[in-house]
Amino acid sequence: MEKIKKVVLAYSGGLDTSIIIPWLKDNYGCEVIAVAGNLGQDKELEGLKEKAIATGASKIYIEDLTEEFLTDYVFPTIKAGAKYENKYLLGTSFARPIIAKRVVEIALAENADAIAHGCTGKGNDQVRFELTIKAFAPNMKIIAPWRIWDIKSRDEEIDYAIAKNIPLKITRETNYSKDMNIWHLSHEGMDLENPANEPNYDKILELGISPEKAPDKPTYITIDFEKGIPVAVDSQKMDPIKMIRYLNKVGGDNGIGIIDLVENRLVGMKSRGVYETPGGTILYEAHEALESLCLDKDTQHYKHQVAIKFSELVYNGQWFTPLRESLSAFVDKTQETVTGSVKLKLYKGNVMPASITSPYSLYSEEIATFGEDTVYNQKDAEGFINLFGLPLKVKALSDQKNKK
C-alpha cells in the first residue's frame, strides 16, 4: 500500500470504527487520529477516549456539535418539510455532513495525509461522508476499509475485535447496526433484514415504548413557532437541545415516532430499518399543521414538491451543494409568516392537531362558514365554473361533432 503517515478517522466507537484503528496501523503503519462528533448520543460517548487510545489512536477529538446540528441542519429540514419517501425523518442523513465537515477541518489542521471512515460499500453513509470531504478538501485521500479489506461480515468484524482484544458493547445476539443522535435512533440488520419479520419492539426500542404500552389517557402539548422554528413548549422557552430532549421523552412515553421502513438506498438496493424519532415526529406534525393555516395554496402546494427534492438531496449526502442552499433560501422565504402555536394530542403512537392559532392565519371563518354570511356571493361560483370548465366543454362539443 502507498505510504501514508497520518490518518484522521471519523470515529464513533462502534464495531466498524473500533477495529479500523488497529487495521489502519497494521496495513499502513500510520498514526491514527480519531474524531468523534457528539450529536447528543449520550451514553455512547462513555469511555470513548480511553477506548480509542487503548486500541491505537494517538489522540482523539470529541467535538460537541449538538446545537449546531439542530439549528443548522435539523431545523432547516423541518422547515422544508422534507421526509425521505414520505416517511424517514433523515436522522442519519443530515448527521453525516456536519461530522464529516469537522473531520475535514481537523484533518487539515493536523496536516493529515488521508481521512478514513467506517461506512460499508453497500450503504448511503459512504456517499454522505465523501461528498462532504470533496466539498471542503477536494484533494484529500479517502480510505474506506470496507471497500478494500478481507472482512466480509459483522460476524467477521467481531472475530477481528476479539483477536485484537478490542472491547465491544454488543454481542452476536444483539448485533444490530445502530445509529444514535439527539434526533433519532436507527436499527438495521439481523432479523430486520427480512421484511416478513415483525420487529420485536420490546427488544429493540430504546427511546420509547410501543403504542400498545402507551398510556390510555392522551397527553396534550403545545409547540410555539417563530418563522418556522420551534421556540417554546407549553409556553416555556427552550433552547434547541433542551426542547428535543423533552419532546423525545414525552413522545417516547406515548409510543410516538416509530417507523418501520423499506427504503430505496442511493446505491440501488432496498433496505429495511426501524427508526425511532419521537420528538422529531411531534415537531414535523406541528409544523405541517401551522403551515396549513399560514401558507397560501400555491406556495403550500409548490413547497410540497420542493420537500421531495430537498429530502433526496439530504438523503443522498448533497447538503453542501448550490441546489440545497438555494432550496433553503426559498424555504426561508416561505417561513416568514409561519409563526403561531399548535396544540397536539398524543395518544398511543398518534399525533393529532387539537388547536392551531397564528397572527398570520389565512383562514377566514366568515368566508368559510356554512352559516349565513355577507362576504361571499355564492352566485359568483357559476361564472367561475363556466370559465374553469370551458376547455372541457369545448372538447366535449368537438367530440360530439366528429362522431356524427
Side-chain angles (χ1 to χ4, degrees):
M1 294 186 178
E2 61 188 286
K3 185 62 177 177
I4 293 177
K5 296 180 180 179
K6 185 185 294 186
V7 176
V8 170
L9 169 66
Y11 182 74
S12 68
L15 177 58
D16 296 320
T17 56
S18 292
I19 68 172
I20 285 176
I21 292 177
W23 184 88
L24 287 170
K25 293 174 71 68
D26 287 348
N27 286 273
Y28 291 93
C30 61
E31 176 186 358
V32 179
I33 297 172
V35 178
N38 176 9
L39 301 184
Q41 58 267 48
D42 301 327
K43 60 183 180 181
E44 291 192 3
L45 297 171
E46 295 176 4
L48 200 64
K49 179 179 180 180
E50 293 77 10
K51 181 177 181 179
I53 299 301
T55 52
S58 62
K59 68 172 78 169
I60 179 172
Y61 293 82
I62 301 177
E63 303 292 288
D64 189 353
L65 307 172
T66 312
E67 186 164 355
E68 181 186 355
F69 172 55
L70 293 174
T71 58
D72 293 358
Y73 296 79
V74 175
F75 287 175
T77 306
I78 295 175
K79 289 193 294 183
K83 304 176 186 178
Y84 184 66
E85 297 186 336
N86 204 37
K87 280 191 175 182
Y88 174 40
L89 301 187
L90 299 162
T92 299
S93 307
F94 49 33
R96 297 305 180 243
I98 184 173
I99 295 172
K101 181 173 180 287
R102 187 63 185 128
V103 168
V104 169
E105 291 168 348
I106 291 173
L108 294 176
E110 289 280 356
N111 293 314
D113 302 301
I115 290 173
H117 62 73
C119 309
T120 75
K122 288 185 177 181
N124 303 302
D125 280 345
Q126 58 182 333
V127 182
R128 296 164 183 159
F129 268 108
E130 294 185 31
L131 290 190
T132 301
I133 294 169
K134 292 179 186 300
F136 293 99
N139 296 317
M140 180 68 69
K141 179 175 177 56
I142 299 171
I143 300 174
W146 263 108
R147 302 203 293 253
I148 55 177
W149 63 15
D150 295 329
I151 297 172
K152 302 301 181 185
S153 68
R154 288 177 68 82
D155 269 346
E156 290 187 11
E157 284 188 291
I158 293 176
D159 292 338
Y160 187 95
I162 293 172
K164 293 290 185 178
N165 296 314
I166 299 172
L168 298 174
K169 295 181 180 180
I170 61 169
T171 66
R172 296 186 195 274
E173 291 72 34
T174 61
N175 189 21
Y176 289 101
S177 177
K178 297 184 180 183
D179 177 71
M180 175 180 277
N181 56 51
I182 192 173
W183 182 250
H184 92 148
L185 172 61
S186 65
H187 311 263
E188 292 180 313
M190 297 183 66
D191 55 306
L192 297 178
E193 290 187 344
N194 186 349
N197 293 331
E198 179 181 2
N200 184 344
Y201 289 138
D202 291 337
K203 179 181 179 181
I204 66 174
L205 294 182
E206 298 181 31
L207 300 185
I209 57 178
S210 65
E212 295 90 340
K213 294 188 175 181
D216 294 330
K217 182 180 179 181
T219 298
Y220 287 89
I221 191 169
T222 300
I223 313 292
D224 294 340
F225 289 85
E226 293 179 3
K227 295 185 176 181
I229 298 174
V231 295
V233 179
D234 293 332
S235 300
Q236 298 295 313
K237 292 282 187 179
M238 292 186 183
D239 64 63
I241 296 175
K242 183 178 180 181
M243 177 181 293
I244 299 301
R245 293 197 188 282
Y246 178 77
L247 293 179
N248 278 341
K249 178 66 168 60
V250 174
D253 288 346
N254 284 277
I256 304 297
I258 303 167
I259 299 173
D260 182 358
L261 176 64
V262 175
E263 68 194 63
N264 290 293
R265 283 184 179 173
L266 173 60
V267 295
M269 70 187 71
K270 289 183 182 291
S271 65
R272 194 270 190 100
V274 172
Y275 300 98
E276 298 181 65
T277 322
T281 299
I282 292 171
L283 287 179
Y284 263 84
E285 293 291 339
H287 181 261
E288 185 175 309
L290 185 57
E291 283 194 327
S292 74
L293 200 67
C294 300
L295 295 185
D296 65 276
K297 173 185 171 182
D298 285 344
T299 300
Q300 186 177 7
H301 287 191
Y302 191 77
K303 188 170 177 290
H304 289 164
Q305 299 178 49
V306 169
I308 294 173
K309 185 61 182 178
F310 197 103
S311 72
E312 291 173 349
L313 292 172
V314 178
Y315 187 84
N316 295 343
Q318 296 171 288
W319 186 268
F320 299 109
T321 60
L323 179 56
R324 199 285 305 167
E325 293 170 357
S326 297
L327 292 183
S328 282
F330 163 77
V331 168
D332 286 345
K333 180 64 179 179
T334 70
Q335 300 299 289
E336 290 180 353
T337 59
V338 183
T339 294
S341 299
V342 180
K343 185 177 182 180
L344 299 169
K345 179 180 180 179
L346 312 181
Y347 183 67
K348 291 189 177 296
N350 296 292
V351 183
M352 297 162 280
S355 170
I356 317 170
T357 59
S358 171
Y360 299 101
S361 173
L362 298 179
Y363 182 89
S364 171
E365 185 176 356
E366 186 178 18
I367 292 176
T369 180
F370 284 98
E372 183 178 352
D373 70 85
T374 60
V375 297
Y376 185 88
N377 185 351
Q378 298 198 30
K379 178 67 175 175
D380 291 344
E382 181 179 355
F384 165 75
I385 295 170
N386 286 338
L387 292 176
F388 189 67
L390 185 58
L392 185 62
K393 180 178 180 179
V394 171
K395 177 67 166 58
L397 290 172
S398 175
D399 289 346
Q400 288 176 5
K401 178 181 177 182
N402 291 319
K403 285 180 182 179
K404 292 180 179 180

